PDB file of all heavy atoms in Angstrom:
ATOM      1  N   PHE A   2     -17.452  58.719 -62.859  1.00 98.00           N
ATOM      2  CA  PHE A   2     -17.595  59.235 -61.496  1.00 98.00           C
ATOM      3  C   PHE A   2     -17.897  60.740 -61.517  1.00 98.00           C
ATOM      4  O   PHE A   2     -18.810  61.208 -60.833  1.00 98.00           O
ATOM      5  CB  PHE A   2     -16.305  58.940 -60.703  1.00 98.00           C
ATOM      6  CG  PHE A   2     -16.209  59.639 -59.391  1.00 98.00           C
ATOM      7  CD1 PHE A   2     -16.850  59.140 -58.265  1.00 98.00           C
ATOM      8  CD2 PHE A   2     -15.462  60.801 -59.264  1.00 98.00           C
ATOM      9  CE1 PHE A   2     -16.756  59.793 -57.045  1.00 98.00           C
ATOM     10  CE2 PHE A   2     -15.361  61.465 -58.045  1.00 98.00           C
ATOM     11  CZ  PHE A   2     -16.014  60.955 -56.935  1.00 98.00           C
ATOM     12  N   ILE A   3     -17.133  61.491 -62.294  1.00 97.00           N
ATOM     13  CA  ILE A   3     -17.348  62.945 -62.398  1.00 97.00           C
ATOM     14  C   ILE A   3     -18.739  63.224 -62.959  1.00 97.00           C
ATOM     15  O   ILE A   3     -19.456  64.101 -62.474  1.00 97.00           O
ATOM     16  CB  ILE A   3     -16.273  63.609 -63.296  1.00 97.00           C
ATOM     17  CG1 ILE A   3     -14.892  63.465 -62.685  1.00 97.00           C
ATOM     18  CG2 ILE A   3     -16.594  65.082 -63.552  1.00 97.00           C
ATOM     19  CD1 ILE A   3     -14.669  64.239 -61.421  1.00 97.00           C
ATOM     20  N   ASN A   4     -19.131  62.477 -63.979  1.00 96.00           N
ATOM     21  CA  ASN A   4     -20.453  62.654 -64.579  1.00 96.00           C
ATOM     22  C   ASN A   4     -21.552  62.410 -63.534  1.00 96.00           C
ATOM     23  O   ASN A   4     -22.523  63.163 -63.463  1.00 96.00           O
ATOM     24  CB  ASN A   4     -20.609  61.710 -65.767  1.00 96.00           C
ATOM     25  CG  ASN A   4     -21.815  62.034 -66.598  1.00 96.00           C
ATOM     26  OD1 ASN A   4     -22.067  63.181 -66.940  1.00 96.00           O
ATOM     27  ND2 ASN A   4     -22.581  61.010 -66.934  1.00 96.00           N
ATOM     28  N   ASP A   5     -21.381  61.369 -62.726  1.00 96.00           N
ATOM     29  CA  ASP A   5     -22.367  61.067 -61.684  1.00 96.00           C
ATOM     30  C   ASP A   5     -22.392  62.152 -60.605  1.00 96.00           C
ATOM     31  O   ASP A   5     -23.455  62.523 -60.111  1.00 96.00           O
ATOM     32  CB  ASP A   5     -22.074  59.715 -61.045  1.00 96.00           C
ATOM     33  CG  ASP A   5     -22.306  58.545 -61.992  1.00 96.00           C
ATOM     34  OD1 ASP A   5     -22.949  58.737 -63.053  1.00 96.00           O
ATOM     35  OD2 ASP A   5     -21.821  57.436 -61.679  1.00 96.00           O
ATOM     36  N   GLU A   6     -21.218  62.666 -60.246  1.00 96.00           N
ATOM     37  CA  GLU A   6     -21.122  63.683 -59.202  1.00 96.00           C
ATOM     38  C   GLU A   6     -21.731  65.019 -59.636  1.00 96.00           C
ATOM     39  O   GLU A   6     -22.355  65.705 -58.836  1.00 96.00           O
ATOM     40  CB  GLU A   6     -19.657  63.905 -58.806  1.00 96.00           C
ATOM     41  CG  GLU A   6     -19.048  62.782 -58.009  1.00 96.00           C
ATOM     42  CD  GLU A   6     -19.591  62.694 -56.592  1.00 96.00           C
ATOM     43  OE1 GLU A   6     -19.658  63.731 -55.911  1.00 96.00           O
ATOM     44  OE2 GLU A   6     -19.957  61.577 -56.173  1.00 96.00           O
ATOM     45  N   LEU A   7     -21.513  65.402 -60.874  1.00 95.00           N
ATOM     46  CA  LEU A   7     -21.918  66.732 -61.332  1.00 95.00           C
ATOM     47  C   LEU A   7     -23.220  66.745 -62.129  1.00 95.00           C
ATOM     48  O   LEU A   7     -23.764  67.816 -62.384  1.00 95.00           O
ATOM     49  CB  LEU A   7     -20.796  67.367 -62.156  1.00 95.00           C
ATOM     50  CG  LEU A   7     -19.492  67.591 -61.404  1.00 95.00           C
ATOM     51  CD1 LEU A   7     -18.440  68.187 -62.321  1.00 95.00           C
ATOM     52  CD2 LEU A   7     -19.699  68.473 -60.182  1.00 95.00           C
ATOM     53  N   SER A   8     -23.711  65.590 -62.528  1.00 94.00           N
ATOM     54  CA  SER A   8     -24.984  65.485 -63.265  1.00 94.00           C
ATOM     55  C   SER A   8     -25.046  66.471 -64.435  1.00 94.00           C
ATOM     56  O   SER A   8     -25.856  67.400 -64.447  1.00 94.00           O
ATOM     57  CB  SER A   8     -26.173  65.716 -62.328  1.00 94.00           C
ATOM     58  OG  SER A   8     -26.166  64.791 -61.272  1.00 94.00           O
ATOM     59  N   PHE A   9     -24.178  66.267 -65.401  1.00 95.00           N
ATOM     60  CA  PHE A   9     -24.147  67.142 -66.571  1.00 95.00           C
ATOM     61  C   PHE A   9     -25.451  67.099 -67.336  1.00 95.00           C
ATOM     62  O   PHE A   9     -26.107  66.059 -67.412  1.00 95.00           O
ATOM     63  CB  PHE A   9     -22.999  66.735 -67.509  1.00 95.00           C
ATOM     64  CG  PHE A   9     -21.643  66.924 -66.900  1.00 95.00           C
ATOM     65  CD1 PHE A   9     -20.873  65.838 -66.555  1.00 95.00           C
ATOM     66  CD2 PHE A   9     -21.145  68.196 -66.672  1.00 95.00           C
ATOM     67  CE1 PHE A   9     -19.609  66.004 -65.999  1.00 95.00           C
ATOM     68  CE2 PHE A   9     -19.893  68.379 -66.111  1.00 95.00           C
ATOM     69  CZ  PHE A   9     -19.120  67.277 -65.773  1.00 95.00           C
ATOM     70  N   LYS A  10     -25.803  68.220 -67.922  1.00 93.00           N
ATOM     71  CA  LYS A  10     -27.011  68.324 -68.741  1.00 93.00           C
ATOM     72  C   LYS A  10     -26.706  68.016 -70.201  1.00 93.00           C
ATOM     73  O   LYS A  10     -27.555  67.527 -70.923  1.00 93.00           O
ATOM     74  CB  LYS A  10     -27.588  69.738 -68.636  1.00 93.00           C
ATOM     75  CG  LYS A  10     -27.963  70.154 -67.238  1.00 93.00           C
ATOM     76  CD  LYS A  10     -28.280  71.642 -67.184  1.00 93.00           C
ATOM     77  CE  LYS A  10     -28.265  72.134 -65.764  1.00 93.00           C
ATOM     78  NZ  LYS A  10     -28.132  73.570 -65.672  1.00 93.00           N
ATOM     79  N   GLN A  11     -25.506  68.361 -70.638  1.00 92.00           N
ATOM     80  CA  GLN A  11     -25.116  68.196 -72.042  1.00 92.00           C
ATOM     81  C   GLN A  11     -24.009  67.154 -72.157  1.00 92.00           C
ATOM     82  O   GLN A  11     -23.152  67.062 -71.275  1.00 92.00           O
ATOM     83  CB  GLN A  11     -24.597  69.518 -72.596  1.00 92.00           C
ATOM     84  CG  GLN A  11     -25.581  70.641 -72.546  1.00 92.00           C
ATOM     85  CD  GLN A  11     -24.920  71.968 -72.939  1.00 92.00           C
ATOM     86  OE1 GLN A  11     -23.895  71.996 -73.588  1.00 92.00           O
ATOM     87  NE2 GLN A  11     -25.527  73.064 -72.535  1.00 92.00           N
ATOM     88  N   PRO A  12     -24.003  66.402 -73.241  1.00 94.00           N
ATOM     89  CA  PRO A  12     -22.917  65.437 -73.433  1.00 94.00           C
ATOM     90  C   PRO A  12     -21.588  66.159 -73.675  1.00 94.00           C
ATOM     91  O   PRO A  12     -21.563  67.324 -74.070  1.00 94.00           O
ATOM     92  CB  PRO A  12     -23.342  64.653 -74.677  1.00 94.00           C
ATOM     93  CG  PRO A  12     -24.326  65.520 -75.376  1.00 94.00           C
ATOM     94  CD  PRO A  12     -24.958  66.392 -74.337  1.00 94.00           C
ATOM     95  N   PHE A  13     -20.522  65.463 -73.421  1.00 96.00           N
ATOM     96  CA  PHE A  13     -19.180  66.005 -73.622  1.00 96.00           C
ATOM     97  C   PHE A  13     -18.267  64.878 -74.085  1.00 96.00           C
ATOM     98  O   PHE A  13     -18.603  63.703 -73.956  1.00 96.00           O
ATOM     99  CB  PHE A  13     -18.633  66.619 -72.321  1.00 96.00           C
ATOM    100  CG  PHE A  13     -18.544  65.633 -71.189  1.00 96.00           C
ATOM    101  CD1 PHE A  13     -17.410  64.851 -71.011  1.00 96.00           C
ATOM    102  CD2 PHE A  13     -19.602  65.472 -70.316  1.00 96.00           C
ATOM    103  CE1 PHE A  13     -17.330  63.920 -69.982  1.00 96.00           C
ATOM    104  CE2 PHE A  13     -19.545  64.549 -69.284  1.00 96.00           C
ATOM    105  CZ  PHE A  13     -18.407  63.778 -69.118  1.00 96.00           C
ATOM    106  N   LYS A  14     -17.126  65.252 -74.605  1.00 96.00           N
ATOM    107  CA  LYS A  14     -16.109  64.281 -75.007  1.00 96.00           C
ATOM    108  C   LYS A  14     -14.810  64.647 -74.323  1.00 96.00           C
ATOM    109  O   LYS A  14     -14.498  65.825 -74.151  1.00 96.00           O
ATOM    110  CB  LYS A  14     -15.898  64.290 -76.520  1.00 96.00           C
ATOM    111  CG  LYS A  14     -17.040  63.721 -77.300  1.00 96.00           C
ATOM    112  CD  LYS A  14     -16.708  63.691 -78.776  1.00 96.00           C
ATOM    113  CE  LYS A  14     -17.911  63.141 -79.526  1.00 96.00           C
ATOM    114  NZ  LYS A  14     -17.681  63.083 -80.960  1.00 96.00           N
ATOM    115  N   VAL A  15     -14.049  63.620 -73.944  1.00 96.00           N
ATOM    116  CA  VAL A  15     -12.717  63.825 -73.401  1.00 96.00           C
ATOM    117  C   VAL A  15     -11.747  63.125 -74.338  1.00 96.00           C
ATOM    118  O   VAL A  15     -11.898  61.941 -74.624  1.00 96.00           O
ATOM    119  CB  VAL A  15     -12.579  63.265 -71.973  1.00 96.00           C
ATOM    120  CG1 VAL A  15     -11.163  63.484 -71.446  1.00 96.00           C
ATOM    121  CG2 VAL A  15     -13.603  63.899 -71.034  1.00 96.00           C
ATOM    122  N   LYS A  16     -10.796  63.884 -74.846  1.00 94.00           N
ATOM    123  CA  LYS A  16      -9.788  63.352 -75.764  1.00 94.00           C
ATOM    124  C   LYS A  16      -8.435  63.395 -75.069  1.00 94.00           C
ATOM    125  O   LYS A  16      -8.122  64.355 -74.364  1.00 94.00           O
ATOM    126  CB  LYS A  16      -9.730  64.189 -77.038  1.00 94.00           C
ATOM    127  CG  LYS A  16     -11.027  64.207 -77.814  1.00 94.00           C
ATOM    128  CD  LYS A  16     -10.922  65.135 -79.011  1.00 94.00           C
ATOM    129  CE  LYS A  16     -12.241  65.196 -79.760  1.00 94.00           C
ATOM    130  NZ  LYS A  16     -12.155  66.109 -80.908  1.00 94.00           N
ATOM    131  N   PHE A  17      -7.639  62.371 -75.295  1.00 94.00           N
ATOM    132  CA  PHE A  17      -6.313  62.287 -74.687  1.00 94.00           C
ATOM    133  C   PHE A  17      -5.249  62.323 -75.774  1.00 94.00           C
ATOM    134  O   PHE A  17      -5.421  61.751 -76.848  1.00 94.00           O
ATOM    135  CB  PHE A  17      -6.182  60.989 -73.887  1.00 94.00           C
ATOM    136  CG  PHE A  17      -7.146  60.935 -72.752  1.00 94.00           C
ATOM    137  CD1 PHE A  17      -8.372  60.304 -72.886  1.00 94.00           C
ATOM    138  CD2 PHE A  17      -6.842  61.541 -71.545  1.00 94.00           C
ATOM    139  CE1 PHE A  17      -9.275  60.263 -71.848  1.00 94.00           C
ATOM    140  CE2 PHE A  17      -7.743  61.517 -70.500  1.00 94.00           C
ATOM    141  CZ  PHE A  17      -8.959  60.873 -70.645  1.00 94.00           C
ATOM    142  N   THR A  18      -4.145  63.008 -75.460  1.00 88.00           N
ATOM    143  CA  THR A  18      -3.048  63.089 -76.417  1.00 88.00           C
ATOM    144  C   THR A  18      -1.721  63.005 -75.677  1.00 88.00           C
ATOM    145  O   THR A  18      -1.598  63.499 -74.554  1.00 88.00           O
ATOM    146  CB  THR A  18      -3.119  64.379 -77.258  1.00 88.00           C
ATOM    147  OG1 THR A  18      -2.043  64.387 -78.187  1.00 88.00           O
ATOM    148  CG2 THR A  18      -3.061  65.622 -76.402  1.00 88.00           C
ATOM    149  N   LYS A  19      -0.755  62.374 -76.312  1.00 87.00           N
ATOM    150  CA  LYS A  19       0.589  62.371 -75.730  1.00 87.00           C
ATOM    151  C   LYS A  19       1.474  63.399 -76.424  1.00 87.00           C
ATOM    152  O   LYS A  19       2.637  63.556 -76.092  1.00 87.00           O
ATOM    153  CB  LYS A  19       1.216  60.982 -75.772  1.00 87.00           C
ATOM    154  CG  LYS A  19       1.391  60.385 -77.128  1.00 87.00           C
ATOM    155  CD  LYS A  19       1.977  58.991 -77.003  1.00 87.00           C
ATOM    156  CE  LYS A  19       2.135  58.386 -78.380  1.00 87.00           C
ATOM    157  NZ  LYS A  19       2.718  57.073 -78.323  1.00 87.00           N
ATOM    158  N   ASN A  20       0.906  64.102 -77.391  1.00 81.00           N
ATOM    159  CA  ASN A  20       1.630  65.157 -78.109  1.00 81.00           C
ATOM    160  C   ASN A  20       0.868  66.464 -77.996  1.00 81.00           C
ATOM    161  O   ASN A  20      -0.327  66.509 -78.242  1.00 81.00           O
ATOM    162  CB  ASN A  20       1.777  64.801 -79.591  1.00 81.00           C
ATOM    163  CG  ASN A  20       2.527  63.513 -79.792  1.00 81.00           C
ATOM    164  OD1 ASN A  20       3.615  63.327 -79.259  1.00 81.00           O
ATOM    165  ND2 ASN A  20       1.932  62.596 -80.545  1.00 81.00           N
ATOM    166  N   ARG A  21       1.565  67.510 -77.654  1.00 74.00           N
ATOM    167  CA  ARG A  21       0.922  68.824 -77.596  1.00 74.00           C
ATOM    168  C   ARG A  21       0.787  69.366 -79.006  1.00 74.00           C
ATOM    169  O   ARG A  21       1.623  69.124 -79.867  1.00 74.00           O
ATOM    170  CB  ARG A  21       1.756  69.788 -76.758  1.00 74.00           C
ATOM    171  CG  ARG A  21       1.764  69.391 -75.310  1.00 74.00           C
ATOM    172  CD  ARG A  21       2.287  70.499 -74.483  1.00 74.00           C
ATOM    173  NE  ARG A  21       2.489  70.036 -73.136  1.00 74.00           N
ATOM    174  CZ  ARG A  21       2.546  70.836 -72.108  1.00 74.00           C
ATOM    175  NH1 ARG A  21       2.434  72.126 -72.270  1.00 74.00           N
ATOM    176  NH2 ARG A  21       2.739  70.359 -70.908  1.00 74.00           N
ATOM    177  N   ASP A  22      -0.291  70.105 -79.238  1.00 71.00           N
ATOM    178  CA  ASP A  22      -0.508  70.715 -80.547  1.00 71.00           C
ATOM    179  C   ASP A  22      -0.942  72.163 -80.354  1.00 71.00           C
ATOM    180  O   ASP A  22      -0.879  72.688 -79.252  1.00 71.00           O
ATOM    181  CB  ASP A  22      -1.525  69.919 -81.367  1.00 71.00           C
ATOM    182  CG  ASP A  22      -2.871  69.780 -80.665  1.00 71.00           C
ATOM    183  OD1 ASP A  22      -3.218  70.644 -79.836  1.00 71.00           O
ATOM    184  OD2 ASP A  22      -3.586  68.816 -80.959  1.00 71.00           O
ATOM    185  N   ASP A  23      -1.379  72.798 -81.406  1.00 64.00           N
ATOM    186  CA  ASP A  23      -1.744  74.211 -81.331  1.00 64.00           C
ATOM    187  C   ASP A  23      -2.895  74.492 -80.368  1.00 64.00           C
ATOM    188  O   ASP A  23      -2.971  75.563 -79.770  1.00 64.00           O
ATOM    189  CB  ASP A  23      -2.112  74.740 -82.725  1.00 64.00           C
ATOM    190  CG  ASP A  23      -0.906  74.798 -83.639  1.00 64.00           C
ATOM    191  OD1 ASP A  23       0.230  74.842 -83.127  1.00 64.00           O
ATOM    192  OD2 ASP A  23      -1.103  74.796 -84.863  1.00 64.00           O
ATOM    193  N   ASP A  24      -3.819  73.526 -80.205  1.00 60.00           N
ATOM    194  CA  ASP A  24      -4.952  73.712 -79.300  1.00 60.00           C
ATOM    195  C   ASP A  24      -4.542  73.598 -77.830  1.00 60.00           C
ATOM    196  O   ASP A  24      -5.220  74.103 -76.951  1.00 60.00           O
ATOM    197  CB  ASP A  24      -6.020  72.651 -79.545  1.00 60.00           C
ATOM    198  CG  ASP A  24      -6.774  72.861 -80.837  1.00 60.00           C
ATOM    199  OD1 ASP A  24      -6.665  73.959 -81.404  1.00 60.00           O
ATOM    200  OD2 ASP A  24      -7.461  71.931 -81.276  1.00 60.00           O
ATOM    201  N   LEU A  25      -3.463  72.882 -77.580  1.00 58.00           N
ATOM    202  CA  LEU A  25      -3.124  72.513 -76.218  1.00 58.00           C
ATOM    203  C   LEU A  25      -1.815  73.154 -75.778  1.00 58.00           C
ATOM    204  O   LEU A  25      -0.750  72.603 -75.931  1.00 58.00           O
ATOM    205  CB  LEU A  25      -3.030  70.982 -76.124  1.00 58.00           C
ATOM    206  CG  LEU A  25      -3.080  70.359 -74.747  1.00 58.00           C
ATOM    207  CD1 LEU A  25      -4.378  70.722 -74.038  1.00 58.00           C
ATOM    208  CD2 LEU A  25      -2.984  68.851 -74.859  1.00 58.00           C
ATOM    209  N   LYS A  26      -1.927  74.352 -75.245  1.00 70.00           N
ATOM    210  CA  LYS A  26      -0.750  75.088 -74.764  1.00 70.00           C
ATOM    211  C   LYS A  26      -0.420  74.712 -73.321  1.00 70.00           C
ATOM    212  O   LYS A  26       0.675  74.927 -72.854  1.00 70.00           O
ATOM    213  CB  LYS A  26      -0.997  76.588 -74.838  1.00 70.00           C
ATOM    214  CG  LYS A  26      -1.404  77.071 -76.208  1.00 70.00           C
ATOM    215  CD  LYS A  26      -0.205  77.289 -77.087  1.00 70.00           C
ATOM    216  CE  LYS A  26      -0.656  77.956 -78.371  1.00 70.00           C
ATOM    217  NZ  LYS A  26      -0.075  77.410 -79.539  1.00 70.00           N
ATOM    218  N   THR A  27      -1.398  74.186 -72.592  1.00 81.00           N
ATOM    219  CA  THR A  27      -1.205  73.774 -71.206  1.00 81.00           C
ATOM    220  C   THR A  27      -1.422  72.269 -71.122  1.00 81.00           C
ATOM    221  O   THR A  27      -1.388  71.573 -72.126  1.00 81.00           O
ATOM    222  CB  THR A  27      -2.188  74.521 -70.287  1.00 81.00           C
ATOM    223  OG1 THR A  27      -3.523  74.157 -70.642  1.00 81.00           O
ATOM    224  CG2 THR A  27      -2.032  76.025 -70.398  1.00 81.00           C
ATOM    225  N   TYR A  28      -1.698  71.762 -69.936  1.00 87.00           N
ATOM    226  CA  TYR A  28      -1.895  70.324 -69.775  1.00 87.00           C
ATOM    227  C   TYR A  28      -3.298  69.864 -70.148  1.00 87.00           C
ATOM    228  O   TYR A  28      -3.522  68.693 -70.397  1.00 87.00           O
ATOM    229  CB  TYR A  28      -1.589  69.907 -68.338  1.00 87.00           C
ATOM    230  CG  TYR A  28      -0.110  69.953 -68.044  1.00 87.00           C
ATOM    231  CD1 TYR A  28       0.429  70.947 -67.244  1.00 87.00           C
ATOM    232  CD2 TYR A  28       0.748  69.007 -68.587  1.00 87.00           C
ATOM    233  CE1 TYR A  28       1.785  70.991 -66.982  1.00 87.00           C
ATOM    234  CE2 TYR A  28       2.103  69.046 -68.337  1.00 87.00           C
ATOM    235  CZ  TYR A  28       2.619  70.041 -67.533  1.00 87.00           C
ATOM    236  OH  TYR A  28       3.957  70.081 -67.280  1.00 87.00           O
ATOM    237  N   ALA A  29      -4.241  70.780 -70.175  1.00 91.00           N
ATOM    238  CA  ALA A  29      -5.611  70.417 -70.536  1.00 91.00           C
ATOM    239  C   ALA A  29      -6.347  71.667 -71.011  1.00 91.00           C
ATOM    240  O   ALA A  29      -5.966  72.794 -70.696  1.00 91.00           O
ATOM    241  CB  ALA A  29      -6.327  69.803 -69.342  1.00 91.00           C
ATOM    242  N   TYR A  30      -7.427  71.428 -71.763  1.00 89.00           N
ATOM    243  CA  TYR A  30      -8.153  72.527 -72.393  1.00 89.00           C
ATOM    244  C   TYR A  30      -9.606  72.133 -72.542  1.00 89.00           C
ATOM    245  O   TYR A  30      -9.922  71.006 -72.915  1.00 89.00           O
ATOM    246  CB  TYR A  30      -7.525  72.785 -73.759  1.00 89.00           C
ATOM    247  CG  TYR A  30      -8.304  73.742 -74.632  1.00 89.00           C
ATOM    248  CD1 TYR A  30      -8.217  75.119 -74.451  1.00 89.00           C
ATOM    249  CD2 TYR A  30      -9.128  73.270 -75.651  1.00 89.00           C
ATOM    250  CE1 TYR A  30      -8.918  75.992 -75.256  1.00 89.00           C
ATOM    251  CE2 TYR A  30      -9.836  74.147 -76.459  1.00 89.00           C
ATOM    252  CZ  TYR A  30      -9.736  75.501 -76.257  1.00 89.00           C
ATOM    253  OH  TYR A  30     -10.447  76.362 -77.048  1.00 89.00           O
ATOM    254  N   TYR A  31     -10.502  73.072 -72.249  1.00 92.00           N
ATOM    255  CA  TYR A  31     -11.934  72.869 -72.477  1.00 92.00           C
ATOM    256  C   TYR A  31     -12.383  73.771 -73.606  1.00 92.00           C
ATOM    257  O   TYR A  31     -12.154  74.980 -73.578  1.00 92.00           O
ATOM    258  CB  TYR A  31     -12.741  73.191 -71.208  1.00 92.00           C
ATOM    259  CG  TYR A  31     -14.231  73.202 -71.432  1.00 92.00           C
ATOM    260  CD1 TYR A  31     -14.898  72.052 -71.842  1.00 92.00           C
ATOM    261  CD2 TYR A  31     -14.974  74.358 -71.255  1.00 92.00           C
ATOM    262  CE1 TYR A  31     -16.261  72.065 -72.065  1.00 92.00           C
ATOM    263  CE2 TYR A  31     -16.340  74.381 -71.461  1.00 92.00           C
ATOM    264  CZ  TYR A  31     -16.983  73.234 -71.865  1.00 92.00           C
ATOM    265  OH  TYR A  31     -18.328  73.244 -72.084  1.00 92.00           O
ATOM    266  N   ASN A  32     -13.030  73.189 -74.604  1.00 90.00           N
ATOM    267  CA  ASN A  32     -13.586  73.941 -75.722  1.00 90.00           C
ATOM    268  C   ASN A  32     -15.099  74.028 -75.516  1.00 90.00           C
ATOM    269  O   ASN A  32     -15.813  73.047 -75.750  1.00 90.00           O
ATOM    270  CB  ASN A  32     -13.262  73.248 -77.043  1.00 90.00           C
ATOM    271  CG  ASN A  32     -13.793  73.996 -78.240  1.00 90.00           C
ATOM    272  OD1 ASN A  32     -14.772  74.727 -78.146  1.00 90.00           O
ATOM    273  ND2 ASN A  32     -13.163  73.798 -79.376  1.00 90.00           N
ATOM    274  N   PRO A  33     -15.610  75.177 -75.067  1.00 90.00           N
ATOM    275  CA  PRO A  33     -17.036  75.287 -74.767  1.00 90.00           C
ATOM    276  C   PRO A  33     -17.942  75.201 -75.995  1.00 90.00           C
ATOM    277  O   PRO A  33     -19.103  74.825 -75.878  1.00 90.00           O
ATOM    278  CB  PRO A  33     -17.158  76.656 -74.095  1.00 90.00           C
ATOM    279  CG  PRO A  33     -15.947  77.411 -74.480  1.00 90.00           C
ATOM    280  CD  PRO A  33     -14.871  76.406 -74.776  1.00 90.00           C
ATOM    281  N   LYS A  34     -17.427  75.525 -77.166  1.00 90.00           N
ATOM    282  CA  LYS A  34     -18.252  75.454 -78.374  1.00 90.00           C
ATOM    283  C   LYS A  34     -18.538  74.012 -78.775  1.00 90.00           C
ATOM    284  O   LYS A  34     -19.587  73.709 -79.336  1.00 90.00           O
ATOM    285  CB  LYS A  34     -17.571  76.200 -79.523  1.00 90.00           C
ATOM    286  CG  LYS A  34     -17.498  77.687 -79.286  1.00 90.00           C
ATOM    287  CD  LYS A  34     -16.768  78.397 -80.387  1.00 90.00           C
ATOM    288  CE  LYS A  34     -16.673  79.871 -80.027  1.00 90.00           C
ATOM    289  NZ  LYS A  34     -15.672  80.581 -80.757  1.00 90.00           N
TER     290      LYS A  34
END
C-alpha cells in the first residue's frame, strides 16, 4: 500500500526484529546507504 501511494523510484527492504541491536536504538531506523 505504501509503495503504491508513494511510487518509489528505488527498491527498498523492510526487516523486522523482536530484539534490539546496535543499529536499532529506537523503534525503527532507515539506512539511506
Side-chain angles (χ1 to χ4, degrees):
F2 169 81
I3 296 292
N4 192 47
D5 292 346
E6 288 289 312
L7 298 178
S8 302
F9 295 110
K10 300 169 196 161
Q11 301 172 21
F13 60 88
K14 290 184 182 180
V15 179
K16 299 176 182 179
F17 297 95
T18 181
K19 60 182 179 179
N20 300 308
R21 292 194 189 201
D22 58 26
D23 292 338
D24 288 346
L25 197 59
K26 305 277 188 224
T27 63
Y28 288 107
Y30 171 80
Y31 171 62
N32 181 333
K34 293 177 183 162

